[in-house]
Amino acid sequence: MASKIFNMIFFSLLISSFAIIQMATAGDADIPSDFIIPQNVTTVDGNFFTFIGLRSIVGSNPPPTFKASKASLVEFPALNGHSVSYAVLQFPAGTTNPPHIHPRSAELLFLVDGTLQVGFVDTTNKLFNQTLQTGDIFVFHKGLVHFQYNADANNSALAISAFGSANAGTISIPNTLFTTGIDDTILAKSFKTNVATIQALKAGLTRAVLKKTFKKLDHDVNIENFMRSRITLRPISLKLLFVVEIKSMIL
């Protein structure tokens, strides 16, 4: 009897140890030093550990469309190996952060101003949603599809998201499905619709990407005319097509 009790205790401790180890290794890989210095950095001082890329947001007016301003490994190399990053999410009235996934981290969202409708879907296809008020915090789990929506037609919203990885990654569901060259027939059968509907969805995303791209390039272009004259929807990478067509037009 004593032997059985001992075995049960030992087995429980073993399972607990595995759980603790799994939790300890859930973030970015550990580093054998205090911090990592990129090869192209010659001087390390307080400036290296300071990120100023979000200063322009303070006191500014809301952007015309949803905007995510990140402080991740790409923008802030000092985060390398520290399992943390931030994003400031700006929601003009009536805008959304479309369904997406962060494959390498959970997300902890703090609503600084306004209201947001948020939610995620678990692996059993159950939706968990909530309407957040200013000061609320909501957690989106690693690898699960989630979204945020400012349903207020008159007021903007502002949120800050923290991640347990310096490079959480973002996979946009609409862009992944409709701008990566997946064949129209495959998408039509998957969504139980027709090819014409799929092509209309692709065209809508094409316009959105082009408008955002031309705005960054500071070019005033009639998007509808550009699309009619330049773009034919076909099963290739639309993102590559955008870059080629934009470059050829500008040059």
Side-chain angles (χ1 to χ4, degrees):
M1 182 67 177
S3 177
K4 288 183 178 181
I5 294 175
F6 174 81
N7 289 338
M8 291 177 63
I9 293 175
F10 176 78
F11 184 73
S12 299
L13 289 173
L14 185 63
I15 294 297
S16 299
S17 298
F18 280 129
I20 293 171
I21 293 172
Q22 184 65 32
M23 289 173 63
T25 59
D28 296 342
D30 199 5
I31 57 176
S33 59
D34 294 336
F35 46 84
I36 298 175
I37 304 173
Q39 293 182 349
N40 62 339
V41 174
T42 57
T43 302
V44 177
D45 54 18
N47 292 321
F48 176 71
F49 302 103
T50 304
F51 183 69
I52 63 174
L54 301 179
R55 287 182 180 179
S56 60
I57 296 177
V58 179
S60 65
N61 294 323
T65 59
F66 167 77
K67 182 179 180 181
S69 301
K70 299 179 181 180
S72 65
L73 179 61
V74 173
E75 299 83 13
F76 192 12
L79 296 180
N80 193 8
H82 294 299
S83 301
V84 65
S85 59
Y86 270 115
V88 176
L89 310 179
Q90 295 173 278
F91 297 84
T95 58
T96 182
N97 186 6
H100 60 282
I101 295 170
H102 300 298
R104 291 181 287 275
S105 175
E107 175 182 357
L108 191 64
L109 181 144
F110 171 52
L111 185 57
V112 178
D113 187 43
T115 61
L116 281 179
Q117 292 183 12
V118 302
F120 67 88
V121 179
D122 70 6
T123 54
T124 67
N125 287 328
K126 181 177 179 180
L127 172 65
F128 297 85
N129 60 341
Q130 182 65 274
T131 298
L132 302 183
Q133 306 296 326
T134 299
D136 291 349
I137 292 177
F138 193 86
V139 61
F140 303 100
H141 300 272
K142 175 182 176 181
L144 297 184
V145 175
H146 60 282
F147 62 89
Q148 300 106 24
Y149 171 49
N150 179 13
D152 192 324
N154 300 310
N155 299 296
S156 61
L158 178 68
I160 298 176
S161 286
F163 300 92
S165 169
N167 185 22
T170 300
I171 300 173
S172 168
I173 302 302
N175 287 342
T176 298
L177 290 175
F178 298 110
T179 69
T180 56
I182 299 176
D183 187 83
D184 293 347
T185 301
I186 294 174
L187 291 172
K189 289 182 178 296
S190 299
F191 286 94
K192 301 187 187 311
T193 185
N194 52 54
V195 170
T197 300
I198 297 299
Q199 290 181 341
L201 290 170
K202 286 186 174 182
L205 286 170
T206 298
R207 292 184 182 89
V209 171
L210 285 172
K211 287 179 180 178
K212 183 180 295 185
T213 302
F214 281 125
K215 184 176 180 181
K216 289 182 179 178
L217 294 172
D218 195 25
H219 281 269
D220 186 14
V221 178
N222 187 304
I223 299 299
E224 298 299 327
N225 290 341
F226 178 82
M227 288 188 63
R228 282 195 293 269
S229 63
R230 291 275 178 164
I231 292 181
T232 301
L233 290 173
R234 51 188 182 275
I236 66 172
S237 174
L238 293 178
K239 288 183 178 178
L240 177 61
L241 179 63
F242 299 158
V243 174
V244 172
E245 294 289 357
I246 290 168
K247 285 184 176 179
S248 65
M249 186 183 70
I250 294 173
L251 296 175

